[in-house]
Amino acid sequence: ELPHVTDADATAKALSYTADAAKTRNPAHKPGTDCSDCQFYSGAGGKGFGPCQMFPGKAVSAKGWCQAYAAR
Ligand code: SF4
């Protein structure tokens, strides 16, 4: 399994990634959206962790979010 991205990761900071979308304070976040419905996410289902094109070699939380979010 790929290592998980943490909020302390440099790219995570640059993109304002958080593993819990419900807790982000970024005004660009639309409530209810998270990695599981982002076009860059390729994990299975709405829970657990999966690959994201923005974080090569790592896995993001299905419940996460960052400002590169783009609806699928
Ligand atoms: Fe999540 Fe999409 Fe950001 Fe990747 S690009 S961390 S899948 S919101």
Side-chain angles (χ1 to χ4, degrees):
E1 180 168 323
L2 297 170
H4 296 173
V5 172
T6 70
D7 294 11
D9 179 282
T11 307
K13 283 184 176 165
L15 291 178
S16 197
Y17 170 83
T18 175
D20 184 353
K23 290 188 180 151
T24 184
R25 294 189 188 140
N26 190 307
H29 177 245
K30 290 191 187 141
T33 63
D34 61 23
C35 294
S36 71
D37 53 25
C38 174
Q39 64 179 264
F40 299 116
Y41 185 71
S42 56
K47 40 182 194 179
F49 288 76
C52 164
Q53 290 175 38
M54 297 297 161
F55 295 92
K58 294 188 179 173
V60 298
S61 170
K63 302 283 185 201
W65 180 86
C66 87
Q67 60 189 22
Y69 174 87
R72 186 149 44 202

